[in-house]
Amino acid sequence: MIEELPDNTWPVPKLVFLVDWGSLRNIPFQEVDGLEMVPQVLEYRHSFSPVFSTSSVPGSGGQHKPIFLKNGLVSKESIFWDWYRQIQSGTVYRQDLTISLADESGAVIILWTLRNASLAKLVFTDNAEVGQSGVAIDHMEVYHGGIETNKR
């Protein structure tokens, strides 16, 4: 016999990530990949160690992987398009980017700040026109200089 779930657990809501980048505010995305930092590992062997092998110790810094923002929506009136034209003209645009994970009520659960973020790739959907509401973004690839995490 199948046990029924309480009414408040189904359907599971989709995640909403809100992105702020410079003067661009609250750009919604459904998925964010790559929020990770790979620490640098140093192999070290003390010269007086009786064991003839190395130890792994954490180093400073590390690798910052690119972030992928997927399934976004930008309004037609947004200043996103001014920003997009600046990048097309060759202007380097490096600013902090903030990603907020919001629950179904819109309250922020956790916040990530990417330092000195810059756009590496922007792909619109094949069906880029979404009517009056705006233009759909398939994915954006963003490079950055580090991640900070803040819980609200």
Side-chain angles (χ1 to χ4, degrees):
M1 181 169 177
I2 298 175
E3 187 175 326
E4 292 200 22
L5 296 174
D7 288 339
N8 62 354
T9 60
W10 191 260
V12 177
K14 287 190 175 189
L15 297 177
V16 176
F17 295 93
L18 299 174
V19 174
D20 294 342
W21 196 348
S23 54
L24 303 172
R25 298 279 178 223
N26 294 324
I27 302 172
F29 285 89
Q30 285 184 353
E31 189 178 340
V32 175
D33 288 335
L35 287 169
E36 63 184 69
M37 200 275 295
V38 180
Q40 180 182 18
V41 177
L42 302 173
E43 296 294 325
Y44 173 76
R45 180 181 178 275
H46 191 277
S47 60
F48 297 115
S49 175
V51 180
F52 192 69
S53 67
T54 59
S55 298
S56 297
V57 294
S60 61
Q63 294 179 347
H64 304 290
K65 303 286 185 175
I67 305 295
F68 296 92
L69 305 164
K70 299 179 181 179
N71 301 325
L73 183 66
V74 179
S75 71
K76 291 180 180 180
E77 297 81 30
S78 173
I79 58 173
F80 174 85
W81 301 109
D82 296 332
W83 170 78
Y84 181 68
R85 281 188 281 284
Q86 283 180 340
I87 292 172
Q88 282 183 318
S89 69
T91 303
V92 176
Y93 188 84
R94 287 190 176 273
Q95 283 194 334
D96 292 350
L97 181 146
T98 303
I99 301 170
S100 306
L101 173 61
D103 63 12
E104 56 273 0
S105 69
V108 174
I109 300 169
I110 190 167
L111 187 88
W112 295 273
T113 302
L114 310 180
R115 297 291 172 213
N116 294 321
S118 64
L119 181 68
K121 187 175 188 179
L122 176 62
V123 178
F124 295 103
T125 61
D126 293 340
N127 211 351
E129 195 66 33
V130 184
Q132 300 299 334
S133 58
V135 176
I137 296 173
D138 184 60
H139 69 275
M140 288 174 57
E141 184 176 347
V142 177
Y143 288 94
H144 60 92
I147 300 176
E148 293 177 13
T149 305
N150 298 315
K151 291 187 179 180
R152 290 280 173 147

